[in-house]
Amino acid sequence: MSTRSGPSGQTDRPAIVLVRGDITAQDADVIVNAANSSLLGGGGVDGAIHRKGGPAILDACRTLRAGHYGGGLPTGQAVATTAGNLAARWVVHTVGPVHSTQEDRSALLASCYRESLRVAAALGAETVAFPAISTGIYGWPMGDGARIAVRTVRQEATAPVREVRFVLFDQAAYEIFAEALAADGTTPR
Ligand code: ADP
């Protein structure tokens, strides 16, 4: 199932598409990884990407750790590697914030979407697939995560990106993203 939406009358803005499924099965120029700062793999999306993408992605991450990212990738930032065996040209790794009830880390979550899009656009990517960053192991409530994702992508996605696809693992997440899209005033086209 998928939903395609865009601001009415503004066909030059990238489309926002919702898909229910596994992000590692997506055919897109960029697949975004909900990584951790070590860049050396983990659970959830990260584990699935490394399993299906093969060792070339981990090799590229190790090279990053040996160079500019010796201390790891900071939260809210993004960096690209090969996509290995995935049906994508690049994986863009970004580190979401762990959800906190003591501290508002929303700006860091928005930064993940913004920086991933910036890296994707610099590579010349036209299609970008995102998971719901931070809403798994990092504990972010899906409704708030969806609102931040939709708002940030609507504000930040620009050419050459023409399609941003949110890939939601289950029906509940899909419906929450559909509600966030509707609440954001994005009308189907
Ligand atoms: P984080 O550590 O940033 O919370 P996770 O990978 O644990 O990242 O989860 C992020 C979201 O991605 C969760 O909503 C989770 O259900 C979902 N998810 C897990 N595996 C996949 C997958 N293969 N494809 C798409 N979404 C996934």
Side-chain angles (χ1 to χ4, degrees), residues 79-115:
V79 66
T81 66
T82 174
N85 302 327
L86 298 174
R89 296 171 72 190
W90 304 278
V91 169
V92 170
H93 307 262
T94 190
V95 182
V98 175
H99 186 259
S100 165
T101 52
Q102 314 298 314
E103 186 187 21
D104 181 5
R105 299 177 179 165
S106 305
L108 284 169
L109 185 54
S111 176
C112 288
Y113 289 99
R114 186 174 59 247
E115 289 302 302

PDB file of all heavy atoms in Angstrom, residues 79-115:
ATOM      1  N   VAL A  79      26.013  10.940   6.909  1.00  0.00           N
ATOM      2  CA  VAL A  79      27.153  10.675   6.037  1.00  0.00           C
ATOM      3  C   VAL A  79      26.799   9.517   5.105  1.00  0.00           C
ATOM      4  O   VAL A  79      26.068   8.605   5.483  1.00  0.00           O
ATOM      5  CB  VAL A  79      28.421  10.373   6.880  1.00  0.00           C
ATOM      6  CG1 VAL A  79      28.288   9.080   7.660  1.00  0.00           C
ATOM      7  CG2 VAL A  79      29.664  10.341   6.013  1.00  0.00           C
ATOM      8  N   ALA A  80      27.324   9.574   3.875  1.00  0.00           N
ATOM      9  CA  ALA A  80      26.974   8.570   2.864  1.00  0.00           C
ATOM     10  C   ALA A  80      28.049   7.507   2.719  1.00  0.00           C
ATOM     11  O   ALA A  80      29.243   7.775   2.905  1.00  0.00           O
ATOM     12  CB  ALA A  80      26.764   9.256   1.514  1.00  0.00           C
ATOM     13  N   THR A  81      27.603   6.285   2.394  1.00  0.00           N
ATOM     14  CA  THR A  81      28.515   5.221   1.960  1.00  0.00           C
ATOM     15  C   THR A  81      27.876   4.532   0.752  1.00  0.00           C
ATOM     16  O   THR A  81      26.738   4.814   0.393  1.00  0.00           O
ATOM     17  CB  THR A  81      28.732   4.131   3.040  1.00  0.00           C
ATOM     18  OG1 THR A  81      27.492   3.432   3.247  1.00  0.00           O
ATOM     19  CG2 THR A  81      29.244   4.692   4.345  1.00  0.00           C
ATOM     20  N   THR A  82      28.626   3.598   0.201  1.00  0.00           N
ATOM     21  CA  THR A  82      28.060   2.682  -0.786  1.00  0.00           C
ATOM     22  C   THR A  82      26.807   2.015  -0.206  1.00  0.00           C
ATOM     23  O   THR A  82      26.664   1.912   1.015  1.00  0.00           O
ATOM     24  CB  THR A  82      29.084   1.585  -1.145  1.00  0.00           C
ATOM     25  OG1 THR A  82      28.462   0.637  -2.005  1.00  0.00           O
ATOM     26  CG2 THR A  82      29.581   0.831   0.080  1.00  0.00           C
ATOM     27  N   ALA A  83      25.960   1.505  -1.104  1.00  0.00           N
ATOM     28  CA  ALA A  83      24.785   0.745  -0.650  1.00  0.00           C
ATOM     29  C   ALA A  83      25.007  -0.754  -0.804  1.00  0.00           C
ATOM     30  O   ALA A  83      24.071  -1.544  -0.618  1.00  0.00           O
ATOM     31  CB  ALA A  83      23.543   1.186  -1.411  1.00  0.00           C
ATOM     32  N   GLY A  84      26.242  -1.165  -1.150  1.00  0.00           N
ATOM     33  CA  GLY A  84      26.527  -2.597  -1.260  1.00  0.00           C
ATOM     34  C   GLY A  84      25.542  -3.297  -2.182  1.00  0.00           C
ATOM     35  O   GLY A  84      25.312  -2.850  -3.308  1.00  0.00           O
ATOM     36  N   ASN A  85      24.937  -4.367  -1.672  1.00  0.00           N
ATOM     37  CA  ASN A  85      24.013  -5.172  -2.485  1.00  0.00           C
ATOM     38  C   ASN A  85      22.571  -4.669  -2.477  1.00  0.00           C
ATOM     39  O   ASN A  85      21.697  -5.320  -3.056  1.00  0.00           O
ATOM     40  CB  ASN A  85      24.003  -6.621  -1.969  1.00  0.00           C
ATOM     41  CG  ASN A  85      25.392  -7.235  -2.013  1.00  0.00           C
ATOM     42  OD1 ASN A  85      26.193  -6.929  -2.901  1.00  0.00           O
ATOM     43  ND2 ASN A  85      25.692  -8.094  -1.044  1.00  0.00           N
ATOM     44  N   LEU A  86      22.309  -3.549  -1.824  1.00  0.00           N
ATOM     45  CA  LEU A  86      20.937  -3.025  -1.802  1.00  0.00           C
ATOM     46  C   LEU A  86      20.587  -2.423  -3.165  1.00  0.00           C
ATOM     47  O   LEU A  86      21.486  -2.047  -3.929  1.00  0.00           O
ATOM     48  CB  LEU A  86      20.787  -1.951  -0.723  1.00  0.00           C
ATOM     49  CG  LEU A  86      21.018  -2.398   0.720  1.00  0.00           C
ATOM     50  CD1 LEU A  86      20.981  -1.186   1.660  1.00  0.00           C
ATOM     51  CD2 LEU A  86      19.962  -3.418   1.130  1.00  0.00           C
ATOM     52  N   ALA A  87      19.304  -2.298  -3.440  1.00  0.00           N
ATOM     53  CA  ALA A  87      18.850  -1.709  -4.710  1.00  0.00           C
ATOM     54  C   ALA A  87      18.829  -0.190  -4.586  1.00  0.00           C
ATOM     55  O   ALA A  87      17.794   0.467  -4.721  1.00  0.00           O
ATOM     56  CB  ALA A  87      17.472  -2.249  -5.069  1.00  0.00           C
ATOM     57  N   ALA A  88      19.990   0.359  -4.261  1.00  0.00           N
ATOM     58  CA  ALA A  88      20.146   1.794  -4.042  1.00  0.00           C
ATOM     59  C   ALA A  88      21.562   2.164  -4.467  1.00  0.00           C
ATOM     60  O   ALA A  88      22.430   1.293  -4.603  1.00  0.00           O
ATOM     61  CB  ALA A  88      19.932   2.135  -2.568  1.00  0.00           C
ATOM     62  N   ARG A  89      21.799   3.451  -4.655  1.00  0.00           N
ATOM     63  CA  ARG A  89      23.161   3.882  -5.015  1.00  0.00           C
ATOM     64  C   ARG A  89      23.980   4.192  -3.769  1.00  0.00           C
ATOM     65  O   ARG A  89      25.182   3.976  -3.740  1.00  0.00           O
ATOM     66  CB  ARG A  89      23.079   5.096  -5.938  1.00  0.00           C
ATOM     67  CG  ARG A  89      22.398   4.742  -7.258  1.00  0.00           C
ATOM     68  CD  ARG A  89      22.123   5.979  -8.089  1.00  0.00           C
ATOM     69  NE  ARG A  89      23.337   6.561  -8.657  1.00  0.00           N
ATOM     70  CZ  ARG A  89      23.357   7.760  -9.257  1.00  0.00           C
ATOM     71  NH1 ARG A  89      22.254   8.494  -9.333  1.00  0.00           N
ATOM     72  NH2 ARG A  89      24.480   8.214  -9.757  1.00  0.00           N
ATOM     73  N   TRP A  90      23.316   4.733  -2.765  1.00  0.00           N
ATOM     74  CA  TRP A  90      24.015   5.085  -1.520  1.00  0.00           C
ATOM     75  C   TRP A  90      23.147   4.763  -0.310  1.00  0.00           C
ATOM     76  O   TRP A  90      21.912   4.826  -0.402  1.00  0.00           O
ATOM     77  CB  TRP A  90      24.311   6.591  -1.457  1.00  0.00           C
ATOM     78  CG  TRP A  90      25.083   7.126  -2.618  1.00  0.00           C
ATOM     79  CD1 TRP A  90      26.442   7.066  -2.780  1.00  0.00           C
ATOM     80  CD2 TRP A  90      24.569   7.810  -3.772  1.00  0.00           C
ATOM     81  NE1 TRP A  90      26.802   7.680  -3.959  1.00  0.00           N
ATOM     82  CE2 TRP A  90      25.685   8.141  -4.589  1.00  0.00           C
ATOM     83  CE3 TRP A  90      23.302   8.183  -4.196  1.00  0.00           C
ATOM     84  CZ2 TRP A  90      25.542   8.822  -5.797  1.00  0.00           C
ATOM     85  CZ3 TRP A  90      23.158   8.851  -5.408  1.00  0.00           C
ATOM     86  CH2 TRP A  90      24.266   9.164  -6.188  1.00  0.00           C
ATOM     87  N   VAL A  91      23.814   4.465   0.797  1.00  0.00           N
ATOM     88  CA  VAL A  91      23.158   4.509   2.105  1.00  0.00           C
ATOM     89  C   VAL A  91      23.625   5.795   2.779  1.00  0.00           C
ATOM     90  O   VAL A  91      24.829   6.089   2.800  1.00  0.00           O
ATOM     91  CB  VAL A  91      23.519   3.284   2.972  1.00  0.00           C
ATOM     92  CG1 VAL A  91      23.040   3.473   4.413  1.00  0.00           C
ATOM     93  CG2 VAL A  91      22.893   2.017   2.385  1.00  0.00           C
ATOM     94  N   VAL A  92      22.682   6.569   3.275  1.00  0.00           N
ATOM     95  CA  VAL A  92      23.031   7.737   4.086  1.00  0.00           C
ATOM     96  C   VAL A  92      22.738   7.370   5.543  1.00  0.00           C
ATOM     97  O   VAL A  92      21.603   7.062   5.900  1.00  0.00           O
ATOM     98  CB  VAL A  92      22.249   8.989   3.649  1.00  0.00           C
ATOM     99  CG1 VAL A  92      22.435  10.122   4.658  1.00  0.00           C
ATOM    100  CG2 VAL A  92      22.736   9.448   2.261  1.00  0.00           C
ATOM    101  N   HIS A  93      23.796   7.356   6.340  1.00  0.00           N
ATOM    102  CA  HIS A  93      23.691   6.984   7.750  1.00  0.00           C
ATOM    103  C   HIS A  93      23.435   8.252   8.568  1.00  0.00           C
ATOM    104  O   HIS A  93      24.139   9.251   8.393  1.00  0.00           O
ATOM    105  CB  HIS A  93      24.996   6.345   8.240  1.00  0.00           C
ATOM    106  CG  HIS A  93      25.432   5.194   7.373  1.00  0.00           C
ATOM    107  ND1 HIS A  93      25.176   3.886   7.697  1.00  0.00           N
ATOM    108  CD2 HIS A  93      26.082   5.170   6.166  1.00  0.00           C
ATOM    109  CE1 HIS A  93      25.662   3.094   6.736  1.00  0.00           C
ATOM    110  NE2 HIS A  93      26.226   3.856   5.806  1.00  0.00           N
ATOM    111  N   THR A  94      22.447   8.184   9.430  1.00  0.00           N
ATOM    112  CA  THR A  94      22.202   9.321  10.324  1.00  0.00           C
ATOM    113  C   THR A  94      21.922   8.780  11.713  1.00  0.00           C
ATOM    114  O   THR A  94      21.417   7.660  11.856  1.00  0.00           O
ATOM    115  CB  THR A  94      21.048  10.210   9.805  1.00  0.00           C
ATOM    116  OG1 THR A  94      21.001  11.414  10.573  1.00  0.00           O
ATOM    117  CG2 THR A  94      19.699   9.506   9.880  1.00  0.00           C
ATOM    118  N   VAL A  95      22.275   9.561  12.719  1.00  0.00           N
ATOM    119  CA  VAL A  95      22.121   9.105  14.103  1.00  0.00           C
ATOM    120  C   VAL A  95      21.019   9.904  14.771  1.00  0.00           C
ATOM    121  O   VAL A  95      21.167  11.109  15.019  1.00  0.00           O
ATOM    122  CB  VAL A  95      23.442   9.262  14.889  1.00  0.00           C
ATOM    123  CG1 VAL A  95      23.275   8.741  16.316  1.00  0.00           C
ATOM    124  CG2 VAL A  95      24.571   8.541  14.182  1.00  0.00           C
ATOM    125  N   GLY A  96      19.903   9.248  15.022  1.00  0.00           N
ATOM    126  CA  GLY A  96      18.793   9.899  15.704  1.00  0.00           C
ATOM    127  C   GLY A  96      19.090  10.066  17.181  1.00  0.00           C
ATOM    128  O   GLY A  96      19.915   9.350  17.758  1.00  0.00           O
ATOM    129  N   PRO A  97      18.398  11.033  17.816  1.00  0.00           N
ATOM    130  CA  PRO A  97      18.524  11.177  19.274  1.00  0.00           C
ATOM    131  C   PRO A  97      17.712  10.100  19.990  1.00  0.00           C
ATOM    132  O   PRO A  97      16.657   9.684  19.513  1.00  0.00           O
ATOM    133  CB  PRO A  97      17.914  12.564  19.535  1.00  0.00           C
ATOM    134  CG  PRO A  97      16.950  12.775  18.409  1.00  0.00           C
ATOM    135  CD  PRO A  97      17.514  12.036  17.217  1.00  0.00           C
ATOM    136  N   VAL A  98      18.204   9.676  21.147  1.00  0.00           N
ATOM    137  CA  VAL A  98      17.408   8.836  22.044  1.00  0.00           C
ATOM    138  C   VAL A  98      16.331   9.738  22.630  1.00  0.00           C
ATOM    139  O   VAL A  98      16.609  10.875  23.035  1.00  0.00           O
ATOM    140  CB  VAL A  98      18.294   8.248  23.160  1.00  0.00           C
ATOM    141  CG1 VAL A  98      17.460   7.471  24.174  1.00  0.00           C
ATOM    142  CG2 VAL A  98      19.381   7.354  22.557  1.00  0.00           C
ATOM    143  N   HIS A  99      15.088   9.272  22.659  1.00  0.00           N
ATOM    144  CA  HIS A  99      14.011  10.101  23.204  1.00  0.00           C
ATOM    145  C   HIS A  99      14.218  10.335  24.694  1.00  0.00           C
ATOM    146  O   HIS A  99      14.666   9.444  25.419  1.00  0.00           O
ATOM    147  CB  HIS A  99      12.649   9.437  22.973  1.00  0.00           C
ATOM    148  CG  HIS A  99      11.520  10.312  23.394  1.00  0.00           C
ATOM    149  ND1 HIS A  99      10.856  10.154  24.585  1.00  0.00           N
ATOM    150  CD2 HIS A  99      10.971  11.392  22.797  1.00  0.00           C
ATOM    151  CE1 HIS A  99       9.931  11.088  24.691  1.00  0.00           C
ATOM    152  NE2 HIS A  99       9.972  11.856  23.620  1.00  0.00           N
ATOM    153  N   SER A 100      13.908  11.559  25.136  1.00  0.00           N
ATOM    154  CA  SER A 100      14.035  11.899  26.544  1.00  0.00           C
ATOM    155  C   SER A 100      12.775  12.621  27.004  1.00  0.00           C
ATOM    156  O   SER A 100      12.237  13.460  26.270  1.00  0.00           O
ATOM    157  CB  SER A 100      15.250  12.818  26.739  1.00  0.00           C
ATOM    158  OG  SER A 100      15.199  13.445  28.008  1.00  0.00           O
ATOM    159  N   THR A 101      12.306  12.317  28.200  1.00  0.00           N
ATOM    160  CA  THR A 101      11.179  13.077  28.753  1.00  0.00           C
ATOM    161  C   THR A 101      11.693  14.292  29.534  1.00  0.00           C
ATOM    162  O   THR A 101      10.922  15.165  29.914  1.00  0.00           O
ATOM    163  CB  THR A 101      10.330  12.194  29.696  1.00  0.00           C
ATOM    164  OG1 THR A 101      11.207  11.600  30.659  1.00  0.00           O
ATOM    165  CG2 THR A 101       9.613  11.094  28.923  1.00  0.00           C
ATOM    166  N   GLN A 102      12.996  14.364  29.769  1.00  0.00           N
ATOM    167  CA  GLN A 102      13.603  15.458  30.548  1.00  0.00           C
ATOM    168  C   GLN A 102      14.046  16.624  29.664  1.00  0.00           C
ATOM    169  O   GLN A 102      14.190  17.749  30.135  1.00  0.00           O
ATOM    170  CB  GLN A 102      14.862  14.962  31.293  1.00  0.00           C
ATOM    171  CG  GLN A 102      14.709  13.650  32.017  1.00  0.00           C
ATOM    172  CD  GLN A 102      13.658  13.736  33.097  1.00  0.00           C
ATOM    173  OE1 GLN A 102      13.636  14.697  33.870  1.00  0.00           O
ATOM    174  NE2 GLN A 102      12.751  12.766  33.128  1.00  0.00           N
ATOM    175  N   GLU A 103      14.270  16.335  28.394  1.00  0.00           N
ATOM    176  CA  GLU A 103      14.948  17.303  27.524  1.00  0.00           C
ATOM    177  C   GLU A 103      14.302  17.214  26.138  1.00  0.00           C
ATOM    178  O   GLU A 103      14.043  16.112  25.658  1.00  0.00           O
ATOM    179  CB  GLU A 103      16.423  16.878  27.439  1.00  0.00           C
ATOM    180  CG  GLU A 103      17.315  17.804  26.711  1.00  0.00           C
ATOM    181  CD  GLU A 103      18.723  17.194  26.537  1.00  0.00           C
ATOM    182  OE1 GLU A 103      18.882  15.949  26.620  1.00  0.00           O
ATOM    183  OE2 GLU A 103      19.629  17.955  26.296  1.00  0.00           O
ATOM    184  N   ASP A 104      14.057  18.351  25.506  1.00  0.00           N
ATOM    185  CA  ASP A 104      13.475  18.351  24.165  1.00  0.00           C
ATOM    186  C   ASP A 104      14.593  18.196  23.126  1.00  0.00           C
ATOM    187  O   ASP A 104      15.379  19.117  22.925  1.00  0.00           O
ATOM    188  CB  ASP A 104      12.707  19.656  23.932  1.00  0.00           C
ATOM    189  CG  ASP A 104      12.065  19.679  22.549  1.00  0.00           C
ATOM    190  OD1 ASP A 104      12.132  18.652  21.834  1.00  0.00           O
ATOM    191  OD2 ASP A 104      11.502  20.731  22.188  1.00  0.00           O
ATOM    192  N   ARG A 105      14.636  17.042  22.499  1.00  0.00           N
ATOM    193  CA  ARG A 105      15.674  16.759  21.496  1.00  0.00           C
ATOM    194  C   ARG A 105      15.115  16.799  20.078  1.00  0.00           C
ATOM    195  O   ARG A 105      15.709  16.237  19.143  1.00  0.00           O
ATOM    196  CB  ARG A 105      16.311  15.395  21.784  1.00  0.00           C
ATOM    197  CG  ARG A 105      16.981  15.363  23.154  1.00  0.00           C
ATOM    198  CD  ARG A 105      17.551  13.999  23.498  1.00  0.00           C
ATOM    199  NE  ARG A 105      18.190  14.033  24.809  1.00  0.00           N
ATOM    200  CZ  ARG A 105      18.529  12.953  25.510  1.00  0.00           C
ATOM    201  NH1 ARG A 105      18.296  11.742  25.027  1.00  0.00           N
ATOM    202  NH2 ARG A 105      19.107  13.071  26.692  1.00  0.00           N
ATOM    203  N   SER A 106      13.958  17.463  19.910  1.00  0.00           N
ATOM    204  CA  SER A 106      13.293  17.501  18.604  1.00  0.00           C
ATOM    205  C   SER A 106      14.173  18.097  17.509  1.00  0.00           C
ATOM    206  O   SER A 106      14.122  17.655  16.360  1.00  0.00           O
ATOM    207  CB  SER A 106      12.019  18.345  18.676  1.00  0.00           C
ATOM    208  OG  SER A 106      11.177  17.877  19.669  1.00  0.00           O
ATOM    209  N   ALA A 107      14.963  19.113  17.875  1.00  0.00           N
ATOM    210  CA  ALA A 107      15.799  19.769  16.864  1.00  0.00           C
ATOM    211  C   ALA A 107      16.820  18.787  16.300  1.00  0.00           C
ATOM    212  O   ALA A 107      17.167  18.853  15.113  1.00  0.00           O
ATOM    213  CB  ALA A 107      16.502  20.988  17.460  1.00  0.00           C
ATOM    214  N   LEU A 108      17.283  17.874  17.143  1.00  0.00           N
ATOM    215  CA  LEU A 108      18.244  16.872  16.658  1.00  0.00           C
ATOM    216  C   LEU A 108      17.559  15.874  15.720  1.00  0.00           C
ATOM    217  O   LEU A 108      18.152  15.438  14.731  1.00  0.00           O
ATOM    218  CB  LEU A 108      18.877  16.121  17.836  1.00  0.00           C
ATOM    219  CG  LEU A 108      19.943  16.901  18.601  1.00  0.00           C
ATOM    220  CD1 LEU A 108      20.295  16.173  19.899  1.00  0.00           C
ATOM    221  CD2 LEU A 108      21.205  17.081  17.740  1.00  0.00           C
ATOM    222  N   LEU A 109      16.312  15.525  16.026  1.00  0.00           N
ATOM    223  CA  LEU A 109      15.600  14.611  15.131  1.00  0.00           C
ATOM    224  C   LEU A 109      15.329  15.297  13.789  1.00  0.00           C
ATOM    225  O   LEU A 109      15.541  14.702  12.724  1.00  0.00           O
ATOM    226  CB  LEU A 109      14.296  14.136  15.782  1.00  0.00           C
ATOM    227  CG  LEU A 109      13.519  13.088  14.991  1.00  0.00           C
ATOM    228  CD1 LEU A 109      14.381  11.873  14.648  1.00  0.00           C
ATOM    229  CD2 LEU A 109      12.268  12.659  15.767  1.00  0.00           C
ATOM    230  N   ALA A 110      14.898  16.554  13.818  1.00  0.00           N
ATOM    231  CA  ALA A 110      14.692  17.300  12.569  1.00  0.00           C
ATOM    232  C   ALA A 110      16.004  17.387  11.786  1.00  0.00           C
ATOM    233  O   ALA A 110      16.026  17.262  10.560  1.00  0.00           O
ATOM    234  CB  ALA A 110      14.156  18.700  12.869  1.00  0.00           C
ATOM    235  N   SER A 111      17.110  17.581  12.510  1.00  0.00           N
ATOM    236  CA  SER A 111      18.422  17.678  11.868  1.00  0.00           C
ATOM    237  C   SER A 111      18.760  16.398  11.098  1.00  0.00           C
ATOM    238  O   SER A 111      19.379  16.459  10.026  1.00  0.00           O
ATOM    239  CB  SER A 111      19.484  17.972  12.931  1.00  0.00           C
ATOM    240  OG  SER A 111      20.768  17.968  12.344  1.00  0.00           O
ATOM    241  N   CYS A 112      18.367  15.242  11.617  1.00  0.00           N
ATOM    242  CA  CYS A 112      18.631  13.971  10.904  1.00  0.00           C
ATOM    243  C   CYS A 112      17.998  14.000   9.512  1.00  0.00           C
ATOM    244  O   CYS A 112      18.636  13.621   8.516  1.00  0.00           O
ATOM    245  CB  CYS A 112      18.045  12.792  11.675  1.00  0.00           C
ATOM    246  SG  CYS A 112      18.936  12.397  13.179  1.00  0.00           S
ATOM    247  N   TYR A 113      16.740  14.427   9.445  1.00  0.00           N
ATOM    248  CA  TYR A 113      16.053  14.474   8.144  1.00  0.00           C
ATOM    249  C   TYR A 113      16.684  15.536   7.240  1.00  0.00           C
ATOM    250  O   TYR A 113      16.945  15.295   6.071  1.00  0.00           O
ATOM    251  CB  TYR A 113      14.551  14.737   8.350  1.00  0.00           C
ATOM    252  CG  TYR A 113      13.848  13.539   8.941  1.00  0.00           C
ATOM    253  CD1 TYR A 113      13.564  13.471  10.302  1.00  0.00           C
ATOM    254  CD2 TYR A 113      13.494  12.453   8.144  1.00  0.00           C
ATOM    255  CE1 TYR A 113      12.940  12.354  10.856  1.00  0.00           C
ATOM    256  CE2 TYR A 113      12.864  11.335   8.687  1.00  0.00           C
ATOM    257  CZ  TYR A 113      12.597  11.296  10.039  1.00  0.00           C
ATOM    258  OH  TYR A 113      11.989  10.183  10.580  1.00  0.00           O
ATOM    259  N   ARG A 114      16.965  16.702   7.812  1.00  0.00           N
ATOM    260  CA  ARG A 114      17.525  17.809   7.032  1.00  0.00           C
ATOM    261  C   ARG A 114      18.917  17.455   6.505  1.00  0.00           C
ATOM    262  O   ARG A 114      19.217  17.635   5.317  1.00  0.00           O
ATOM    263  CB  ARG A 114      17.584  19.068   7.907  1.00  0.00           C
ATOM    264  CG  ARG A 114      18.014  20.310   7.141  1.00  0.00           C
ATOM    265  CD  ARG A 114      17.914  21.558   8.012  1.00  0.00           C
ATOM    266  NE  ARG A 114      18.755  21.443   9.201  1.00  0.00           N
ATOM    267  CZ  ARG A 114      18.296  21.362  10.451  1.00  0.00           C
ATOM    268  NH1 ARG A 114      17.016  21.413  10.708  1.00  0.00           N
ATOM    269  NH2 ARG A 114      19.136  21.239  11.461  1.00  0.00           N
ATOM    270  N   GLU A 115      19.773  16.940   7.381  1.00  0.00           N
ATOM    271  CA  GLU A 115      21.150  16.629   6.962  1.00  0.00           C
ATOM    272  C   GLU A 115      21.180  15.463   5.977  1.00  0.00           C
ATOM    273  O   GLU A 115      21.985  15.453   5.041  1.00  0.00           O
ATOM    274  CB  GLU A 115      22.007  16.327   8.192  1.00  0.00           C
ATOM    275  CG  GLU A 115      22.310  17.557   9.035  1.00  0.00           C
ATOM    276  CD  GLU A 115      23.027  18.634   8.224  1.00  0.00           C
ATOM    277  OE1 GLU A 115      24.099  18.361   7.679  1.00  0.00           O
ATOM    278  OE2 GLU A 115      22.481  19.748   8.114  1.00  0.00           O
TER     279      GLU A 115
END
